[in-house]
């Protein structure tokens, strides 16, 4: 089996930094800011041809109320899932009462736990770890996660301790359809994630900005693999002041680009606002397939529901191909219908079309509405083929395609979408013109052609003189 390692400890002891070192990524947000990590974050690492799963958690030992209690519940769930627990302490801050409380909890669980003293750079490691021996752990490791010191020996001991001697590399679990959930803060994205998973997987609290990092969650539903990506809420730029929030927004935008299908969550009670439109625009620019989920639909009056539907129809006319669902993530109403739209979007984004089918659709569209004249010449569109997937790219070849009006380009895009029955995903049209092989080349005449041209010029001049003499003779 693949060993699962959980990283636990007080806030700001370096758990996320160690997570990034062990996975050799920068997936976890890192800042000198207590309580930055709130959800369980899973990552995959490899050491000496051995694969393992590592879980980053929020800080333990804080206040037992509010969001801190929810964060602590998530950390305790990670301890239950893990085979090995790495208990991180701060070598600079020394032993605290919170460390003793965490140590007692770990002993009650009976898990294989190791004490890891972090931030030992710049000091005597033995002196820094001396006071932590009273916690009673048989093995103590001194590391500096920020400088990657001592991490290799820590993994050597952990992956050898109490695990099978089968060191074959196990195949990674397929991620399946990657579904990204985006939206403004406090619209119910994390609640929707938990409802889709059927468990309290991410922290949910009635406070804007609860989610700070993008959390990827692989799961299986009805024998099909998925990966849900819960993202931080994106506010308007003028309201973003903290550096942590700026990094959270960057990871949210990156999650949009990595997802196969994006679910944009809208708060029905606040209606469709400009920030929702900006997020939709970014998803379309990234080429992501799109599903619209209008959350908090329960408890609204019929008049309010009618007003919201009219607003959506009027302002989202440019993406009329995207499915809209009216849901309640809190109570589960309509959430199951999202999977049907997700599969429809994914199938449309990944479909492959033969060249003859696309060319036939192009010919029918041109026959029904011919391209306009450009500088006295008709634009000729010869054939079309597929240039890529997710989003589908259709490449049209012809002459003077650069001069094709945007109105006619949209007509061709809508024709392809209608005939091919593409749902939920944008279509990118590319137009290419064939190069003129004689452009820029000067025609050089041979001796025979030059002589013929001289005779022709001489004949024209002689004819003009005769005509002039006749005109003068008539005038006399």
């Amino acid at each position: 089996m693949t060993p699962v390692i959980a990283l636990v400890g007080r806030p700001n002891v370096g758990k996320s930094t160690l997570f990034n070192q062990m996975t050799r990524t920068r997936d976890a947000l890192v800042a000198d800011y207590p309580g930055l990590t709130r959800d369980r974050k899973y990552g995959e690492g490899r050491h000496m041809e051995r694969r393992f799963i590592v879980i980053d958690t929020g800080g333990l030992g804080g206040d037992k109320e509010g969001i801190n209690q929810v964060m602590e519940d998530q950390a305790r769930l990670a301890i239950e899932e893990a085979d090995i627990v790495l208990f991180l302490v701060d070598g600079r801050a020394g032993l605290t009462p919170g460390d003793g409380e965490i140590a007692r909890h770990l002993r009650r669980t009976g898990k294989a736990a190791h004490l890891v003293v972090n931030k030992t750079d710049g000091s005597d490691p033995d002196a820094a770890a001396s006071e932590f021996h009273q916690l009673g752990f048989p093995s103590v490791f001194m590391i500096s996660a920020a400088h990657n010191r001592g991490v290799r020996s820590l993994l050597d001991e952990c992956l050898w301790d109490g695990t099978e001697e089968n060191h074959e590399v196990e195949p990674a679990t397929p991620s399946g359809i990657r579904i990204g959930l985006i939206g403004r803060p406090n619209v119910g994205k994390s609640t929707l994630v938990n409802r889709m998973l059927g468990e309290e997987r991410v922290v949910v609290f009635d406070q804007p900005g609860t989610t700070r990092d993008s959390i990827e969650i692989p799961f299986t539903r009805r024998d099909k693999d998925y990966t849900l990506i819960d993202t931080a809420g994106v506010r308007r730029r003028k309201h973003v002041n903290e550096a942590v929030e700026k990094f959270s927004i960057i990871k949210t935008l990156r999650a949009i680009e990595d997802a196969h299908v994006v679910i944009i969550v809208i708060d029905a009670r606040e209606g469709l606002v400009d920030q929702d439109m900006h997020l939709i625009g970014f998803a379309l620019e990234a080429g992501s397939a799109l599903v619209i989920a209008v959350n908090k639909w329960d408890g609204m009056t019929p008049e309010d529901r009618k007003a919201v539907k009219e607003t959506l129809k009027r302002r989202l006319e440019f993406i009329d191909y995207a499915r809209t669902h009216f849901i309640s993530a809190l109570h589960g109403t309509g959430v199951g219908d999202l999977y049907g739209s997700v599969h429809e979007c994914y199938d449309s984004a990944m479909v492959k079309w033969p060249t003859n089918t696309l060319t036939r659709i192009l010919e029918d569209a041109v026959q029904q509405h011919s391209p306009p004249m450009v500088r006295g010449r008709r634009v000729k569109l010869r054939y079309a083929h597929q240039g890529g997937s997710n989003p589908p790219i259709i490449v049209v070849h012809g002459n003077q395609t650069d001069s094709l009006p945007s109105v006619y380009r949209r007509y061709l895009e809508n024709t392809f979408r209608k005939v091919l029955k593409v749902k939920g995903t944008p279509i990118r049209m590319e137009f290419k013109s064939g190069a003129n092989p004689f452009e820029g080349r000067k025609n050089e005449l041979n001796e025979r052609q030059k002589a013929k041209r001289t005779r022709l010029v001489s004949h024209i001049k002689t004819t003009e003189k005769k005509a002039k003499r006749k005109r003068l003779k008539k005038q006399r």
Side-chain angles (χ1 to χ4, degrees):
M1 289 180 61
T2 303
V4 179
I5 303 173
L7 308 179
V8 300
R10 293 185 297 105
N12 209 31
V13 296
K15 298 184 294 298
S16 296
T17 304
L18 181 58
F19 176 91
N20 288 342
Q21 294 288 5
M22 295 173 72
T23 58
R24 299 179 184 177
T25 66
R26 300 182 64 182
D27 289 345
L29 282 180
V30 176
D32 189 11
Y33 185 88
L36 179 61
T37 304
R38 288 176 173 173
D39 299 289
R40 283 177 288 161
K41 188 174 187 65
Y42 291 72
E44 179 181 317
R46 294 183 185 275
H47 177 69
M48 301 293 291
E49 299 184 353
R50 185 73 186 274
R51 177 174 174 263
F52 61 92
I53 303 296
V54 59
I55 312 174
D56 187 18
T57 65
L60 288 169
D63 298 333
K64 303 296 183 181
E65 58 183 19
I67 194 171
N68 291 324
Q69 179 60 48
V70 183
M71 292 165 52
E72 190 158 322
D73 293 340
Q74 290 287 318
R76 295 182 188 278
L77 288 173
I79 294 173
E80 294 179 5
E81 294 178 356
D83 301 311
I84 304 167
V85 179
L86 297 183
F87 174 28
L88 269 73
V89 294
D90 190 338
R92 296 174 185 170
L95 184 64
T96 65
D99 294 327
E101 182 181 347
I102 298 171
R104 287 190 292 272
H105 175 74
L106 292 177
R107 277 194 289 270
R108 287 195 295 268
T109 62
K111 296 284 184 177
H114 301 277
L115 181 64
V116 180
V117 183
N118 191 23
K119 304 182 183 180
T120 58
D121 47 313
S123 61
D124 184 7
D126 296 330
S130 59
E131 59 180 326
F132 293 102
H133 286 287
Q134 60 182 289
L135 294 177
F137 286 89
S139 55
V140 180
F141 297 90
M142 279 74 74
I143 70 167
S144 173
H147 299 93
N148 199 23
R149 294 175 184 167
V151 178
R152 181 182 294 273
S153 59
L154 172 64
L155 290 175
D156 286 338
E157 180 70 21
C158 291
L159 296 180
W160 187 264
D161 182 35
T163 57
E164 298 177 358
E165 295 186 359
N166 181 14
H167 287 234
E168 296 181 358
V169 177
E170 300 178 16
T173 305
S175 60
I177 303 177
R178 297 175 61 85
I179 307 171
L181 277 75
I182 64 172
R184 294 181 294 112
N186 211 33
V187 296
K189 299 183 295 298
S190 297
T191 305
L192 180 57
V193 168
N194 290 339
R195 178 63 63 179
M196 295 177 73
L197 294 173
E199 63 168 308
E200 296 296 322
R201 171 60 180 81
V202 292
V203 172
V204 176
F205 198 70
D206 189 14
Q207 172 184 319
T210 299
T211 303
R212 287 175 171 161
D213 202 354
S214 296
I215 307 297
E216 295 190 7
I217 311 164
F219 71 104
T220 302
R221 180 180 184 268
R222 297 180 180 176
D223 297 328
K224 294 182 179 179
D225 296 319
Y226 304 88
T227 298
L228 271 180
I229 309 175
D230 185 21
T231 63
V234 180
R235 298 192 295 171
R236 297 181 64 181
R237 184 178 299 176
K238 67 178 183 179
H239 298 306
V240 178
N241 298 317
E242 295 183 0
V244 171
E245 187 172 359
K246 293 179 182 178
F247 285 116
S248 299
I249 293 173
I250 292 173
K251 299 201 70 173
T252 297
L253 301 181
R254 188 179 301 168
I256 295 175
E257 297 175 347
D258 293 341
H260 295 131
V261 181
V262 170
I263 300 178
I264 171 75
V265 184
I266 299 172
D267 191 335
R269 298 174 185 177
E270 295 184 7
L272 186 66
V273 299
D274 291 341
Q275 186 64 7
D276 296 324
M277 301 295 290
H278 293 325
L279 289 173
I280 292 173
F282 187 87
L284 294 179
E285 290 179 6
S288 301
L290 194 63
V291 177
I292 301 171
V294 184
N295 193 24
K296 304 181 184 180
W297 195 245
D298 52 315
M300 295 185 65
T301 63
E303 293 79 10
D304 292 339
R305 292 184 176 185
K306 182 179 178 181
V308 171
K309 289 182 178 180
E310 290 177 352
T311 302
L312 291 173
K313 183 178 180 181
R314 174 173 52 86
R315 299 192 65 184
L316 299 182
E317 186 178 4
F318 65 100
I319 52 169
D320 54 357
Y321 54 83
R323 300 288 189 188
T324 303
H325 296 267
F326 301 94
I327 67 170
S328 172
L330 185 62
H331 300 98
T333 307
V335 174
D337 298 334
L338 293 172
Y339 286 100
S341 296
V342 166
H343 278 280
E344 184 181 50
C345 293
Y346 181 78
D347 293 340
S348 295
M350 295 297 184
V351 69
K352 304 291 184 182
W353 298 299
T355 299
N356 59 349
T357 300
L358 299 178
T359 302
R360 187 168 60 251
I361 296 173
L362 176 65
E363 292 173 349
D364 294 341
V366 171
Q367 186 176 3
Q368 188 172 1
H369 293 288
S370 300
M373 302 283 287
V374 177
R375 294 186 292 273
R377 296 178 59 192
R378 180 76 65 185
V379 177
K380 295 181 181 179
L381 304 178
R382 294 187 173 88
Y383 70 97
H385 66 89
Q386 187 170 358
S389 301
N390 194 32
I393 300 173
I394 298 177
V395 184
V396 178
H397 293 262
N399 69 329
Q400 302 187 95
T401 56
D402 295 338
S403 304
L404 204 60
S406 59
V407 176
Y408 197 81
R409 293 171 183 245
R410 286 196 299 270
Y411 159 70
L412 291 178
E413 178 183 341
N414 293 334
T415 300
F416 278 110
R417 181 181 298 280
K418 181 179 179 181
V419 176
L420 297 172
K421 299 179 180 179
V422 178
K423 296 292 184 181
T425 181
I427 296 178
R428 289 183 176 173
M429 302 292 298
E430 294 184 2
F431 296 86
K432 294 187 176 181
S433 299
N436 185 355
F438 300 102
E439 184 179 1
R441 292 178 57 183
K442 188 176 180 180
N443 187 17
E444 298 290 342
L445 302 179
N446 54 31
E447 295 298 329
R448 184 168 174 269
Q449 289 173 331
K450 290 179 180 179
K452 184 177 179 180
R453 183 176 180 179
T454 301
R455 290 195 302 270
L456 180 61
V457 172
S458 176
H459 175 72
I460 292 174
K461 289 181 178 179
T462 304
T463 305
E464 289 178 348
K465 289 180 180 179
K466 289 180 179 180
K468 185 177 181 181
R469 285 197 295 269
K470 285 184 180 180
R471 288 195 303 272
L472 293 174
K473 193 173 182 180
K474 286 181 180 180
Q475 289 177 359
R476 293 173 184 174

